Amino acid sequence: MPDRYAHYRKLRIDRPDERILRITFDDPKTKNALDAEAHRELAYIWRDIAMDPETSVVLVTGAGDAFSAGGSFDFIEAITCDPQIRLRAWKETRDLVYNMIDCSRPVVSAMRGPAVGAGLVVGLLADVSIASETARILDGHTRLGVAAG
């Protein structure tokens, strides 16, 4: 994998074929819930992808039987209890939406199982969103007092 993606520790990044970059939410034991670091990585990876001359298309999927269960319990608790973390998470979510929209590479999402929160935002903002019969699309943003992406 090019050094361009070496600093991404929470998202599994590989190339299943030439010019295809695959991003996998990779924590099957939590249904691929995103902690604070994974949330941050997901917000900013789109800038690197847009500047990657070796990538023509992006595929986003989840490991195991889930796409993404949204924010991890620890991350959600931190967002609800700490105003600084909440503000940072809101900024990252805004950046996630804008960076994905601004990304010049087409994005395909392959959703199965739960698709919630920031994972759902990525799944639905993709240029092509594919949901299997097992996909369960759920938006819990309003319970956190924020509008969905």
Side-chain angles (χ1 to χ4, degrees), residues 19-140:
R19 308 203 54 78
I20 299 172
L21 185 78
R22 177 171 48 200
I23 300 171
T24 305
F25 302 129
D26 192 20
D27 192 359
K29 64 183 175 293
T30 67
K31 301 276 188 207
N32 303 317
L34 303 172
D35 63 11
E37 185 178 355
H39 190 264
R40 189 173 314 107
E41 289 181 3
L42 194 56
Y44 301 114
I45 192 168
W46 308 103
R47 294 177 187 170
D48 287 334
I49 292 168
M51 296 174 51
D52 183 355
E54 297 177 19
T55 297
S56 295
V57 67
V58 181
L59 172 64
V60 184
T61 191
D65 62 355
F67 186 68
S68 175
S72 68
F73 291 128
D74 290 341
F75 185 39
I76 298 300
E77 182 178 7
I79 289 171
T80 59
C81 295
D82 186 323
Q84 294 299 335
I85 293 173
R86 184 169 40 255
L87 289 173
R88 189 185 73 230
W90 286 349
K91 181 190 179 315
E92 288 170 359
T93 303
R94 183 192 68 221
D95 290 345
L96 165 60
V97 171
Y98 285 125
N99 290 339
M100 252 190 106
I101 290 169
D102 288 341
C103 184
S104 58
R105 306 303 189 265
V107 178
V108 177
S109 66
M111 297 180 282
R112 66 179 170 278
V116 183
L120 175 63
V121 170
V122 171
L124 295 181
L125 276 177
D127 298 292
V128 177
S129 302
I130 301 169
S132 77
E133 290 182 6
T134 67
R136 298 295 174 253
I137 294 172
L138 176 68
D139 191 354

